[in-house]
Amino acid sequence: KIMKDIMAKESSWSEGGTPGYGCSPKPKQQALIFDCIDPVPDLAQDLLTAFAGKTATVAGVYLSHGLERPETPGQYKDALKLLEAEGKVVAKPPASERREDTMADHVEIQFPPKGA
């Protein structure tokens, strides 16, 4: 996680907010439209499937799902905040009891069962 955070900050390009994790020119085959795509909504839907019926901390979600993926811890937190705002997951403590627009690593996320 530490190395991923460092590499993300030092990446020479990103695609839709997801860093390329390298210090090289952006690949030329990438179309400009990919720069406008926000990966957070797709990540949020993926988390609903991957964690269906489970409860995990924000840190646990990232550590078990995100280390092998290009999305950053911040994008995971944004996806979880989106799911909470849409009423698709329950966070403990809820957003109303947390500092505005935060999602700390210790917050527990309850995911609904598959198909709920």
Side-chain angles (χ1 to χ4, degrees):
K1 180 181 179 301
I2 293 170
M3 282 305 297
K4 197 170 181 182
D5 287 340
I6 292 168
M7 291 294 292
K9 291 176 187 168
E10 297 300 322
S11 290
S12 27
W13 60 274
S14 67
E15 192 173 287
T18 303
Y21 298 106
C23 292
S24 59
K26 185 174 182 176
K28 290 183 181 183
Q29 71 271 18
Q30 303 290 331
L32 289 177
I33 192 162
F34 290 114
D35 288 337
C36 301
I37 297 173
D38 182 3
V40 171
D42 289 338
L43 176 59
Q45 291 303 310
D46 193 28
L47 293 176
L48 285 174
T49 301
F51 289 91
K54 298 178 183 175
T55 298
T57 64
V58 171
V61 168
Y62 179 74
L63 291 174
S64 66
H65 189 269
L67 293 179
E68 300 295 323
R69 295 175 54 114
E71 294 88 2
T72 64
Q75 288 172 314
Y76 271 78
K77 290 180 179 190
D78 288 345
L80 293 170
K81 287 188 288 188
L82 175 66
L83 290 172
E84 182 185 21
E86 292 176 346
K88 294 181 179 177
V89 299
V90 175
K92 292 184 182 178
S96 61
E97 296 177 18
R98 298 190 311 262
R99 289 189 334 178
E100 188 176 323
D101 199 37
T102 62
M103 183 65 79
D105 289 344
H106 68 272
V107 173
E108 285 189 351
I109 307 295
Q110 293 178 336
F111 292 87
K114 194 172 190 173

